[in-house]
Amino acid sequence: MYRIVISVRDAQLFLLLRHLLAREGFETVLAQCSADIEASLSPDIVGFLIEVPTGSHDATSLVAVVRSSCPDAAVIMLRRGEAIGAELDADFVLEPPFEPAKLLDFLRKLRPQGMPRNRRELLGFDDLTMDLSSMVVRRGECKVHLSALQYRILRLLLEDPGIVRDREAFITACWPPGVEVESRTVDIHIGHIRRALEACGPDLIRTVRGVGYALCSGKGDEGSVAG
């Protein structure tokens, strides 16, 4: 399950957000202070919702820590009054009172297409399996270690293994909206995924030159770009 770290002072607001996000398939983690946020940093975090109180000067340094440890996670700022630095490097800014639907629309874009809601589900191809509930990827008995972004990219490939996805499809599905991503960045991450999978078996990623990527059991590269 994908996790969102929430740091707000209002307990009722946290409970409301937890309820809304659970219905969308997200697990929420409460962080009551900056130390809790730093302790929660892990690759399976897809977003941070951080309340910045009026007059706060801590937003910039806190976001820098989050960006450094979880560069692929989205940062959402809940700004109250004239919070200082709240907009700096934030992917999405909320000001109370806000419409929950707008927040949910943004968070839905952090999920790969077709992400399950609150049910255990497996995707597989050849000897590769992905558990969408635990976010564990395996090749046979070998566990494959991926970053959160690489997991989302592989997730998209596993949705339709034989379909060639172009780079724009990966950018749209796997990166937060509004983030500028070069095509070469997709190639680099595909290369990382390819090497992680090859540590446990033969290459499964087919590269179609000038088009994109798909999964293939045989040697299917047509002018490899990454890896």
Side-chain angles (χ1 to χ4, degrees):
M1 182 176 289
Y2 286 68
R3 297 200 295 162
I4 304 287
V5 175
I6 298 178
S7 179
V8 295
R9 293 176 296 171
D10 187 338
Q12 293 300 317
L13 176 58
F14 171 75
L15 292 175
L16 173 62
L17 291 171
R18 183 176 67 177
H19 173 72
L20 292 174
L21 296 182
R23 295 179 61 184
E24 294 296 324
F26 292 100
E27 177 185 348
T28 53
V29 179
L30 175 62
Q32 296 180 310
C33 60
S34 298
D36 287 347
I37 294 175
E38 295 180 21
S40 71
L41 300 175
S42 66
D44 63 336
I45 301 295
V46 298
F48 294 81
L49 195 160
I50 303 171
E51 179 181 0
V52 183
T54 300
S56 172
H57 292 265
D58 297 330
T60 303
S61 59
L62 181 58
V63 171
V65 171
V66 169
R67 292 294 193 198
S68 175
S69 300
C70 299
D72 301 320
V75 175
I76 304 161
M77 287 291 184
L78 175 59
R79 183 178 63 182
R80 294 185 182 275
E82 297 297 324
I84 299 173
E87 304 90 350
L88 296 180
D89 206 22
D91 299 302
F92 195 69
V93 177
L94 296 170
E95 292 186 358
F98 63 88
E99 296 181 21
K102 292 183 178 180
L103 173 62
L104 293 177
D105 285 343
F106 175 79
L107 291 176
R108 288 182 187 121
K109 295 177 181 179
L110 302 182
R111 305 181 315 195
Q113 296 176 359
M115 172 184 162
R117 298 184 180 184
N118 298 323
R119 70 176 187 273
R120 188 175 183 84
E121 186 176 336
L122 289 174
L123 292 177
F125 176 79
D126 200 88
D127 62 345
L128 176 65
T129 60
M130 174 181 283
D131 188 320
L132 300 179
S133 177
S134 64
M135 295 184 66
V136 172
V137 178
R138 295 184 182 276
R139 285 201 71 177
E141 297 301 317
C142 179
K143 187 173 181 179
V144 180
H145 298 281
L146 301 171
S147 70
L149 176 58
Q150 292 160 13
Y151 178 94
R152 295 197 293 270
I153 292 172
L154 182 59
R155 166 81 166 85
L156 191 61
L157 286 170
L158 281 167
E159 281 289 325
D160 293 292
I163 301 298
V164 178
R165 305 273 189 177
D166 62 24
R167 292 163 181 80
E168 189 60 36
F170 288 106
I171 293 171
T172 300
C174 302
W175 271 266
V179 176
E180 294 186 8
V181 181
E182 296 182 357
S183 295
R184 181 59 183 168
T185 301
V186 177
D187 299 336
I188 291 171
H189 284 286
I190 289 287
H192 291 322
I193 296 169
R194 174 174 276 147
R195 286 187 286 274
L197 296 179
E198 285 182 324
C200 305
D203 188 10
L204 290 178
I205 298 179
R206 173 191 174 207
T207 306
V208 180
R209 184 172 54 193
V211 182
Y213 301 95
L215 294 180
C216 180
S217 296
K219 293 284 186 179
D221 277 20
E222 300 175 10
S224 179
V225 176

